[in-house]
Amino acid sequence: MKQISSVRIGVNAANVHMRKREKTPSVKGLCSSLALLVCGLIAGSLPTDAASISSSLPHPTFHAEQFLLAAANRERAERGISQLRFDPMLSEAARFHAAQMASHGDISHQFPGEPDLSRRGAAAGAHFSLISENVAEAPSASMFHELWMHSKGHRENLLDPEVNVVGIAVVSRNGQFYAVEDFASTVEKVTFNEQEEAVTQLLAQKGLDVGPNMRTSTLAQARLACAMDTGFPGRHKPWYIMRYTADRLDRIPVQLDERIRSGKYRQAVVGACQDNSSGAFTAYNIAVLLYP
């Protein structure tokens, strides 16, 4: 992934730093190449040291946070980009990190012993396929938006059409303000049945007869096949199996579409299974079994 180096603004002792984008891969297995810090966080809660740091800080500047959300959405609206929704779980992650920066009197995307961005978001309970972050320090909270908008990388995060939610935190300490904006593209948590039904509808629109019968696998076998890297666990072996990991259920992979358009297949069975390869990211694991 592209790493964008920090940008330092010398005026009024302000400085900013932007996080590279982190995104769940669309092909199963690639997530293992993303280095993720393993930590003992409990979902939805913050470590004890974070709570003590936050309690020692002045009251968070909620008006500044509201201003930053409104400013970001104003910039997006002017460019025809969808509005960002406030996400309380991402805000919890952002507040934890803002408290860390204030405690250190410095800005960074990860301090020693602290979870990285994706783990912070997941630990707070957010479900996402992409996450990015802007951080900054300045003597006035009113400076943050303009600082970010005048920095290419930060501006790209603010105007990214792929993200739909944001968590914002601004805290102050010793006359300095510390700000964090965590952006994400959310992934809806749905059951296996709901995942399978969504893909079934897409395949039916392409003319396939979708669902188990006497000459295909059962639903249970399709789900087992989804969880396997190779092979098939039953008697009625499909002519082709497409296993894929995705962050949305309103489209199928191009390779699968090409197979269907070949005209060789008339029937399909869809199975969903647990995604164990995406780390802190959320994704759907799907197997489509094609039969003549």
Side-chain angles (χ1 to χ4, degrees), residues 10 29 32 50 63 75 88 97 99 114 124 129 154 164 188 206 213 224-225 228 241 271 277 281:
S32 60
H63 290 301
E75 301 283 2
H97 187 60
E114 182 190 20
S129 60
H154 302 83
N164 59 358
E188 184 181 1
K206 296 184 177 295
N213 60 48
L224 285 173
M228 300 167 61
I241 302 177
S277 63
F281 297 91

Side-chain angles (χ1 to χ4, degrees), residues 30-284:
L30 291 187
C31 281
S32 60
S33 66
L34 178 63
L36 296 175
L37 179 66
V38 178
C39 60
L41 290 180
I42 301 173
S45 64
L46 295 178
T48 303
D49 60 340
S52 63
I53 291 169
S54 296
S55 64
S56 67
L57 292 171
H59 195 276
T61 52
F62 293 116
H63 290 301
E65 294 164 7
Q66 293 169 357
F67 168 79
L68 289 173
L69 175 60
N73 277 331
R74 183 179 64 251
E75 301 283 2
R76 294 170 70 93
E78 290 174 356
R79 295 162 175 81
I81 305 170
S82 60
Q83 298 286 277
L84 294 169
R85 291 183 287 105
F86 169 79
D87 188 290
M89 290 172 287
L90 282 179
S91 287
E92 181 181 352
R95 193 165 308 286
F96 166 62
H97 187 60
Q100 290 281 332
M101 294 197 304
S103 176
H104 286 81
D106 197 6
I107 60 171
S108 174
H109 289 292
Q110 184 180 12
F111 293 100
E114 182 190 20
D116 69 2
L117 172 60
S118 59
R119 290 290 178 182
R120 291 197 301 270
H127 301 284
F128 48 84
S129 60
L130 179 155
I131 189 166
S132 58
E133 182 175 80
N134 287 348
V135 301
E137 173 190 5
S140 170
S142 64
M143 298 175 63
F144 292 133
H145 181 71
E146 288 303 314
L147 284 171
W148 285 328
M149 285 301 296
H150 284 85
S151 167
K152 181 176 182 294
H154 302 83
R155 184 171 62 252
E156 288 175 352
N157 277 354
L158 274 160
L159 303 178
D160 187 351
E162 292 189 56
V163 300
N164 59 358
V165 295
V166 65
I168 302 174
V170 179
V171 299
S172 62
R173 193 178 200 188
N174 298 329
Q176 282 290 98
F177 290 84
Y178 301 85
V180 177
E181 289 184 327
D182 286 344
F183 307 92
S185 175
T186 54
V187 176
E188 184 181 1
K189 294 291 285 184
V190 296
T191 67
F192 289 162
N193 286 337
E194 291 170 321
Q195 295 175 43
E196 291 155 356
E197 178 59 27
V199 178
T200 291
Q201 291 181 15
L202 296 176
L203 298 179
Q205 291 171 7
K206 296 184 177 295
L208 294 180
D209 180 12
V210 189
N213 60 48
M214 296 295 290
R215 290 177 291 182
T216 69
S217 78
T218 64
L219 174 59
Q221 290 169 339
R223 288 180 174 180
L224 285 173
C226 175
M228 300 167 61
D229 290 330
T230 60
F232 174 70
R235 289 174 47 210
H236 300 291
K237 185 175 181 180
W239 279 22
Y240 181 77
I241 302 177
M242 166 66 78
R243 298 176 175 91
Y244 65 95
T245 300
D247 59 3
R248 52 192 295 180
L249 295 168
D250 59 351
R251 62 188 180 192
I252 61 174
V254 173
Q255 300 95 317
L256 178 58
D257 187 49
E258 291 173 349
R259 284 277 178 170
I260 295 170
R261 287 192 286 106
S262 72
K264 297 178 181 178
Y265 311 100
R266 295 288 183 269
Q267 303 176 86
V269 182
V270 180
C273 60
Q274 185 68 39
D275 172 45
N276 295 316
S277 63
S278 298
F281 297 91
T282 300
Y284 307 115

